[in-house]
Amino acid sequence: MSDFFAGIGKVPFEGPESDDPLAYRYYEPARVVLGKTMEEQLRIAVAYWHSFAWPGGDPFGGQTFERPWFDGGMEAARLKADVAFEMFSILGTPFYTFHDRDVAPEGRSLAESSRNVREIADIFAKKQEETGVRLLWGTANLFSNRRFMSGAATNPDPDVFAYAAAQVKDALDVTHRLGGANYVLWGGREGYETLLNTDMKQELDHAGRFLSMVVDYKHKIGFPGTILIEPKPQEPTKHQYDYDVATVFGFLQRFGLEKEVKVNIEVGHAVLAGHSFEHEIATAAALGIFGSVDANRNDYQSGWDTDQFPNNAPEMALAIYYILKAGGLTTGGFNFDSKIRRQSLDPQDLIAAHVGGIDICAKALLAAAAMTEDGGLAKALKERYAGWESAEAQAMLGSDLETIAARVDREGLEPQPRSGRQEMLENWVNRFV
Ligand code: XUL
Ligand code: CO
């Protein structure tokens, strides 16, 4: 045991009346909601990156957090692993996620970096066994080191493509070994700053080949998890190729990968793309590529990715309603890709942030389940599209323009507009949130 969380015990469930900031008011893992436990419905994960690797910097100043594992070598990485699993136990969260470079220091060569990651993975394997905590996904950091400044798979330099391929191979091996439920690719530097120095067609072709190789390797090693792409429209590059869910679907289809790869949808990324979170979820569900979720929120007044902890239950409730409508989570989960503010220095800030964010998801799940059980939205939707249930309407879809035009003429069709009932539906939602 480290003493990092000294004095902080396991977070209890105390119910909505509790005023303890380190107690759950809604998250009750064993409570059954729509036929599954809350734990199974939400599959909550803690993100190693934000919670244990982020130093608290911003563009105007550096590190604000003083963690005993910062700037150390492998000894510090081992301490970080201890603290991370202590936090998972305190929170009672079933999953975690990590980038290769979050967990172990980068070495002087790729071989040394990979050895470092594997050594920490040995520790993770043991701790997973002891605690029952599982890996939701692993990923490779192909964006922090300066070698990736012009891209990884889309870099003009083929040696960088090769380095990235080798790094992903290692990260996928480690994820497989730890029983990861998914493997994520976020193209942090896959995009461009200026067209003046960019051959976009070539870069997109290379990104497609790279992803095909990842899928081939997944099958070769028998990794049973899902490969996920995480869309984001900008930041760090001005134009990211994986702009949003619809863009990613078009890319997957072009390379014949739409049955192989799904999406990891992040709340803040959806907002940066000018969408709502539920829009991205519904798009992925409609296209058959919904995979997993990165839970956080952006500040609506700032135009960048602030990765704050979720705290808006009504917004989260609608998103979860559409996840449930899509059949719920399978291999995916709610990964807290969220970071505390740089002034939130203390270990208990880290715990309180997760407790609050997890509670928002639990409260939202209860509201979404109540909405689902009431069935009001589903009924209104069915009525709105009821005309399409007739045999004649269905036959029209298999018909052609001339036949349809002849029928309009013959029957003198004169469609009458009907109310969309938006305010009534919004009021209905407000009864549950
Ligand atoms: C960056 C981001 C990443 C990905 C994994 O905005 O969300 O943490 O989730 O690389
Ligand atoms: Co993310």
Side-chain angles (χ1 to χ4, degrees), residues 157-212:
D157 180 349
D159 285 354
V160 179
F161 181 103
Y163 198 102
Q167 201 179 318
V168 167
K169 178 193 167 294
D170 284 344
L172 195 49
D173 283 337
V174 162
T175 302
H176 182 34
R177 189 186 146 215
L178 292 172
N182 308 272
Y183 182 85
V184 163
L185 293 129
W186 169 58
R189 303 276 173 195
E190 315 294 21
Y192 69 90
E193 297 297 327
T194 171
L195 272 180
L196 298 177
N197 65 12
T198 304
D199 183 334
M200 199 196 296
K201 179 178 181 322
Q202 189 165 3
E203 294 200 358
L204 287 169
D205 285 348
H206 292 179
R209 270 309 292 146
F210 192 94
L211 185 59
S212 303

Side-chain angles (χ1 to χ4, degrees), residues 2-5 52 63 65-73 75-80 83 345 347:
S2 77
D3 60 3
F4 187 71
F5 290 115
F52 307 109
Q63 177 173 339
F65 302 146
E66 288 177 339
R67 308 295 194 221
W69 55 86
F70 280 170
D71 305 320
E75 193 59 40
R78 282 186 283 272
L79 171 64
K80 182 160 59 170
V83 171
L345 299 179

Side-chain angles (χ1 to χ4, degrees), residues 26-174:
Y26 298 94
Y27 185 61
E28 211 179 343
R31 174 168 174 183
V32 175
V33 182
L34 293 182
K36 286 194 212 167
T37 64
M38 246 188 197
E39 182 170 296
E40 289 164 342
Q41 289 283 18
L42 293 172
R43 294 168 60 86
I44 302 246
V46 171
Y48 219 94
W49 187 28
H50 287 318
S51 290
F52 307 109
W54 185 58
D58 73 7
F60 300 91
Q63 177 173 339
T64 57
F65 302 146
E66 288 177 339
R67 308 295 194 221
W69 55 86
F70 280 170
D71 305 320
M74 285 302 286
E75 193 59 40
R78 282 186 283 272
L79 171 64
K80 182 160 59 170
D82 286 344
V83 171
F85 274 79
E86 280 161 25
M87 187 163 106
F88 308 155
S89 293
I90 288 171
L91 293 170
T93 40
F95 290 98
Y96 70 113
T97 62
F98 67 84
H99 298 82
D100 48 5
R101 299 292 167 262
D102 301 341
V103 302
E106 182 141 15
R108 276 155 304 191
S109 63
L110 183 62
E112 187 183 335
S113 302
S114 301
R115 255 197 320 279
N116 291 348
V117 174
R118 281 199 300 272
E119 191 182 320
I120 297 299
D122 288 340
I123 296 173
F124 285 171
K126 212 161 138 269
K127 287 180 182 292
Q128 287 185 198
E129 188 81 32
E130 284 161 13
T131 59
V133 172
R134 287 165 288 161
L135 180 63
L136 184 66
W137 49 258
T139 187
N141 179 331
L142 304 179
F143 45 87
S144 294
N145 192 289
R146 66 195 286 275
R147 75 173 63 85
F148 296 122
M149 70 177 191
S150 310
T154 61
N155 200 295
D157 180 349
D159 285 354
V160 179
F161 181 103
Y163 198 102
Q167 201 179 318
V168 167
K169 178 193 167 294
D170 284 344
L172 195 49
D173 283 337
V174 162

Side-chain angles (χ1 to χ4, degrees), residues 49 137 186 230 264 266 269 294 296 307 335 337:
W49 187 28
W137 49 258
W186 169 58
E230 185 172 320
N264 183 38
E266 177 162 326
H269 298 181
D294 269 10
N296 58 22
D307 285 329
N335 170 49
D337 203 353

Side-chain angles (χ1 to χ4, degrees), residues 413-419:
L413 282 194
E414 207 57 67
Q416 295 304 308
R418 285 190 302 148
S419 170

